[in-house]
């Protein structure tokens, strides 16, 4: 089969008028095409595949950044829902010791910590449970609608939590219910964005690409912390309302412009495992009963311009006969493949081990995510705003960790070994941070960045590059429909750990914050032990490969 690189294609304008509308094409893309045709009637020669890829990276990046941005405010607002009222002003004769706290979080320190932990658990346990179903649904619907609706409702529930202060709501079950529903709608994010990215990018340098792209998690946490901190001491309702408006707006932009799969705009995907991973080829004008087929009998030396149609026009033949707007065949998938079942996904080598490892890795990461601002506030003299600002350094380290883990994994082709190495180093670093962070703000900042790097590196690698790799494992024989299910299983299992960690932290912190760090260190060691067998196998294969190369020399 001949591969036509985009940079070498010559396009000929056809006189046959084709409709520029598709039942499944984003409205924003349709508008840009009409605008382009009107302003530039003679088609400009530029790399359309690059433009689509760039838009996919940008849109999925800001989408999941917004998901995390809307999750972060609760960790910042905890510091004002229950605090030391004696530091605010001299209490009046009739004031209770908890006059400044927000009911129902105005009890003793231990009871308030438990209630705040229940808020986290309501979100995270519902998130973990719904994640398994979310991947199943994501394989069977249009991901653009799936993501856009999920982001819209995530914004609604963030807004509803914020107006609890505006309307003076003090019912605990109101806040728990809103958090639970927010957790369910947030599960639309990860299976959706990972699948879309994997549709457009091959296996070459997947670790680096996903490592850079995965910084959206940390950037979202940072922005969420800064936005929430801006309003937390004046009107904490806005700490939730503003992020809710942002994620809703981004969801609408995604609905207008996200192209889920190359085939949606007329490109077929040709795997080239040796060099570039994936090459995109405009679809020819042979149309099968169930889809578009590329003519593989082309001459290897010449390209007939009359046979090449600018890719995005070919998708117009599919329309309603291929799938409905929302439910039907997944975008960009071959009709000969069926979505994989839950048990089938578990049988893929490595899925169980990486899922369990992510359980403990995410337990550690999310405990920092939800409790770090409060820990800094309690262990130092910093206020709620400054504590939230300082906690963002953990996510700064997380960005570096994700990139480092991706690069090392790409170079060594040993993801399990990369994770094991970082997990081994992160356990003693958490102990050092707990002991030395109180000595000064400068030392606290440096140690926090290092801890973020080591804790988030394995977590980011497993949820992105490893999930994508396992979802396209060779045992699947090219069935790309397994990707969303595998991603959901791995991230869903990790999300159970993410729910357990903050819940336990709420109880354990009442017996001393040092016990919370001991819990995190034990979890980190368990993740290390789970991946140890896979790491040994990778090292053995690496040594065998090197030995074979020496013998051939």
């Amino acid at each position: 089969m001949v591969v036509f690189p985009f940079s070498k294609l010559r396009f000929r304008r056809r006189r046959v008028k084709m409709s520029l509308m598709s039942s499944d094409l984003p409205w924003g893309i349709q508008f840009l095409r009409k605008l382009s045709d009107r302003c530039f009637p003679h088609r400009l020669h530029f790399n359309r595949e690059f433009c689509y890829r760039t838009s996919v990276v940008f849109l999925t990046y800001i989408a999941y950044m917004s998901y995390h941005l809307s999750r972060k405010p609760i960790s910042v607002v905890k510091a004002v829902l229950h605090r030391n009222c004696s530091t605010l002003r001299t209490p009046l004769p009739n004031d209770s010791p908890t006059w400044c706290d927000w009911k129902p979080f105005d009890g003793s320190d231990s009871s308030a910590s438990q209630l705040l932990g229940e808020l986290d658990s309501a979100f995270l346990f519902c998130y973990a449970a719904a994640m398994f179903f979310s991947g199943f649904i994501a394989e069977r619907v249009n991901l653009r609608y799936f993501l856009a609706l999920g982001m819209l409702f995530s914004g609604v529930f963030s807004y509803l939590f914020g107006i609890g202060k505006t309307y003076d709501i003090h019912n605990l079950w109101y806040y728990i219910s809103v958090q639970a529903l927010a957790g369910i709608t947030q599960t639309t994010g990860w299976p959706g964005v990972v699948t879309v990215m994997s549709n457009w990018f091959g296996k070459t340098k997947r670790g680096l690409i996903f490592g850079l792209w995965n910084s959206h998690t940390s950037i979202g946490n940072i922005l969420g912390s800064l936005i929430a901190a801006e309003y937390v001491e004046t009107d904490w309702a806005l700490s939730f309302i503003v992020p809710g408006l942002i994620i809703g707006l981004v969801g609408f932009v995604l609905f207008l412009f996200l192209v889920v799969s190359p085939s949606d705009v007329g490109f077929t995907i040709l795997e080239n495992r040796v060099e570039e991973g994936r090459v995109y080829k405009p679809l020819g004008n042979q149309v099968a009963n169930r889809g578009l087929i590329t003519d593989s009998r082309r001459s290897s030396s010449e390209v007939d311009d009359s046979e090449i149609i600018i890719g995005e026009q070919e998708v117009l033949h599919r329309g309603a006969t291929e799938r409905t707007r929302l439910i039907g065949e997944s975008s960009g998938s071959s009709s000969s493949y069926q979505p994989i079942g839950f048990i089938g996904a578990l049988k893929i080598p490595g899925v169980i081990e990486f899922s369990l490892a992510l359980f403990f890795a995410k337990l550690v990461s999310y405990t920092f995510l939800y409790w770090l601002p409060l820990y800094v506030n309690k262990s130092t003299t910093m206020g709620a705003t400054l504590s939230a600002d300082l906690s963002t350094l953990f996510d700064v380290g997380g960005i570096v960790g994700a990139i480092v883990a991706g690069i090392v994994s790409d170079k060594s082709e040993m993801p399990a070994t990369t994770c094991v190495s970082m997990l081994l180093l992160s356990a003693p670093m958490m102990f050092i941070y707990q002991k030395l962070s109180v000595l000064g703000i400068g030392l606290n900042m440096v140690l926090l960045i290092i801890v973020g790097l080591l804790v988030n590196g394995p977590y980011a690698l497993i949820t992105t590059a490893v999930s994508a790799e396992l979802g396209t494992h060779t045992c699947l024989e090219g069935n790309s429909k397994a990707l969303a299910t595998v991603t959901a299983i791995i991230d869903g299992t990790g999300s159970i750990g993410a729910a357990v960690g903050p819940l336990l932290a709420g109880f354990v912190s009442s017996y001393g914050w040092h016990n919370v760090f001991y819990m995190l260190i034990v979890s980190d060691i368990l993740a290390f032990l789970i991946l140890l067998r896979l790491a040994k196998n990778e090292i053995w294969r690496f040594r065998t490969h090197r030995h074979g190369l020496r013998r051939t020399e």
Side-chain angles (χ1 to χ4, degrees):
M1 183 177 289
V2 181
V3 177
F4 301 112
F6 250 50
S7 59
K8 296 181 181 179
L9 279 178
R10 290 175 294 139
F11 295 101
R12 176 176 294 176
R13 208 174 158 211
R14 294 172 60 88
R15 293 184 179 180
V16 179
K17 183 177 180 181
M18 301 181 66
S19 172
L20 289 177
M21 300 295 291
S22 169
S23 64
D24 197 36
L25 208 59
W27 293 349
I29 299 297
Q30 294 178 26
F31 171 77
L32 290 178
R33 285 179 174 177
K34 287 184 175 181
L35 184 65
S36 175
D37 289 342
R38 179 164 297 183
C39 297
F40 307 102
H42 301 288
R43 285 192 181 275
L44 295 176
H45 293 266
F46 61 93
N47 193 330
R48 292 177 181 269
E49 172 260 327
F50 175 78
C51 294
Y52 284 122
R53 271 192 176 188
T54 303
S55 71
V56 165
V57 171
F58 175 74
L59 290 173
T60 54
Y61 188 96
I62 63 170
Y64 207 68
M65 179 194 74
S66 300
Y67 275 103
H68 265 261
L69 182 148
S70 64
R71 295 179 197 177
K72 189 64 177 176
I74 185 64
S75 66
V76 176
V77 173
K78 282 178 184 176
V80 296
L81 293 180
H82 180 79
R83 52 183 165 176
N84 185 358
C85 300
S86 62
T87 61
L88 299 180
R89 62 171 171 80
T90 303
L92 300 176
N94 295 329
D95 282 343
S96 68
T98 58
W99 64 268
C100 65
D101 295 339
W102 183 262
K103 295 179 181 181
F105 308 104
D106 58 343
S108 63
D109 288 347
S110 59
S111 63
S113 294
Q114 291 175 13
L115 291 179
L116 293 171
E118 288 174 9
L119 283 183
D120 297 337
S121 299
F123 176 94
L124 292 168
F125 275 113
C126 288
Y127 180 91
M131 179 60 75
F132 294 100
F133 299 99
S134 183
F136 180 84
I137 296 170
E139 289 182 349
R140 291 161 174 81
V141 302
N142 186 304
L143 291 176
R144 181 165 60 90
Y145 292 86
F146 185 67
L147 286 167
L149 288 174
M151 296 178 76
L152 176 63
F153 282 105
S154 294
V156 169
F157 292 122
S158 180
Y159 174 81
L160 288 176
F161 196 104
I163 64 173
K165 181 180 186 300
T166 305
Y167 290 97
D168 207 28
I169 299 173
H170 297 281
N171 189 307
L172 177 64
W173 286 105
Y174 171 82
Y175 294 104
I176 289 178
S177 299
V178 169
Q179 282 287 86
L181 293 171
I184 293 172
T185 56
Q186 286 261 335
T187 60
T188 57
W190 196 242
V193 295
V194 170
T195 302
V196 172
M197 280 290 290
S198 296
N199 286 344
W200 282 93
F201 293 91
K203 295 186 176 182
T204 302
K205 295 184 179 179
R206 178 175 277 174
L208 175 60
I209 292 171
F210 276 103
L212 291 167
W213 175 75
N214 194 62
S215 63
H216 53 44
T217 300
S218 297
I219 295 296
N221 291 338
I222 292 171
L223 292 178
S225 296
L226 295 177
I227 292 172
E230 181 68 24
Y231 305 106
V232 65
E233 294 184 349
T234 55
D235 184 4
W236 61 259
L238 294 176
S239 296
F240 291 93
I241 293 173
V242 173
L245 293 175
I246 291 173
I247 190 174
L249 178 62
V250 173
F252 181 66
V253 173
L254 215 71
F255 173 76
L256 291 179
F257 294 102
L258 181 65
V259 179
V260 171
S261 173
S263 62
D264 287 347
V265 285
F267 302 136
T268 55
I269 306 172
L270 304 177
E271 287 290 345
N272 185 341
R273 299 184 185 276
V274 178
E275 295 181 2
E276 295 183 5
R278 288 189 179 190
V279 180
Y280 295 93
K281 175 181 177 180
L283 291 168
N285 56 359
Q286 286 186 322
V287 183
N289 292 332
R290 296 285 299 168
L292 301 174
I293 304 177
T294 318
D295 185 1
S296 61
R297 294 166 293 182
R298 279 260 159 252
S299 167
S300 60
S301 59
E302 294 184 4
V303 179
D304 183 0
D305 288 351
S306 64
E307 294 287 338
I308 300 174
I309 302 174
I310 294 177
E312 59 265 24
Q313 293 181 344
E314 285 295 326
V315 75
L316 308 178
H317 290 285
R318 290 182 296 175
T321 62
E322 284 275 344
R323 54 184 180 270
T324 64
R325 282 183 179 270
L326 182 57
I327 301 179
E329 294 183 22
S330 300
S331 295
S333 60
S334 172
S335 59
S336 62
Y337 294 125
Q338 296 299 320
I340 193 171
F342 182 83
I343 302 299
L346 288 177
K347 293 179 180 178
I348 299 173
V351 168
I352 294 177
E353 289 90 340
F354 277 110
S355 296
L356 293 176
L358 187 63
F359 174 93
F360 293 105
K362 213 166 181 180
L363 184 153
V364 176
S365 181
Y366 269 64
T367 301
F368 273 101
L369 174 68
Y370 280 91
W371 288 94
L372 183 58
L374 185 60
Y375 168 73
V376 174
N377 178 256
K378 297 292 185 182
S379 62
T380 66
T381 58
M382 300 180 194
T385 300
L386 189 56
S387 298
D389 292 342
L390 180 66
S391 69
T392 61
L393 293 177
F394 177 81
D395 293 296
V396 172
I399 296 173
V400 180
I403 296 172
V404 170
I407 293 174
V408 173
S409 177
D410 278 341
K411 296 292 184 182
S412 63
E413 297 183 352
M414 296 191 293
T417 306
T418 303
C419 292
V420 162
S421 301
M422 300 185 81
L423 290 168
L424 184 62
L425 294 172
S426 63
M429 279 307 306
M430 284 189 285
F431 179 79
I432 293 172
Y433 174 75
Q434 191 269 326
K435 293 295 183 182
L436 302 182
S437 61
V438 296
L439 298 180
I441 187 171
L443 184 60
N444 194 325
M445 294 170 65
V446 173
L447 292 176
L448 197 54
I449 292 174
I450 297 173
V451 171
L453 185 153
L454 295 173
V455 167
N456 283 336
Y459 157 47
L461 185 63
I462 294 173
T463 54
T464 53
V466 170
S467 296
E469 184 71 21
L470 293 176
T472 54
H473 197 274
T474 54
C475 69
L476 297 172
E477 299 178 347
N479 185 359
S480 62
K481 287 193 173 185
L483 183 57
T485 297
V486 170
T487 301
I489 289 174
I490 293 176
D491 197 56
T493 306
S495 297
I496 297 175
V500 170
L503 176 64
L504 290 178
F507 288 98
V508 175
S509 62
S510 60
Y511 300 98
W513 282 101
H514 62 282
N515 291 317
V516 175
F517 279 90
Y518 293 153
M519 177 190 77
L520 299 181
I521 291 170
V522 170
S523 300
D524 195 84
I525 293 172
L526 290 174
F528 167 82
L529 294 175
I530 290 169
L531 291 179
L532 198 57
R533 184 184 67 84
L534 293 179
K536 287 181 178 179
N537 291 339
E538 288 178 349
I539 294 171
W540 178 82
R541 285 196 301 267
F542 176 74
R543 288 180 175 177
T544 303
H545 178 67
R546 288 188 63 183
H547 182 67
L549 291 177
R550 288 176 181 176
R551 291 185 62 182
T552 56
E553 291 176 357

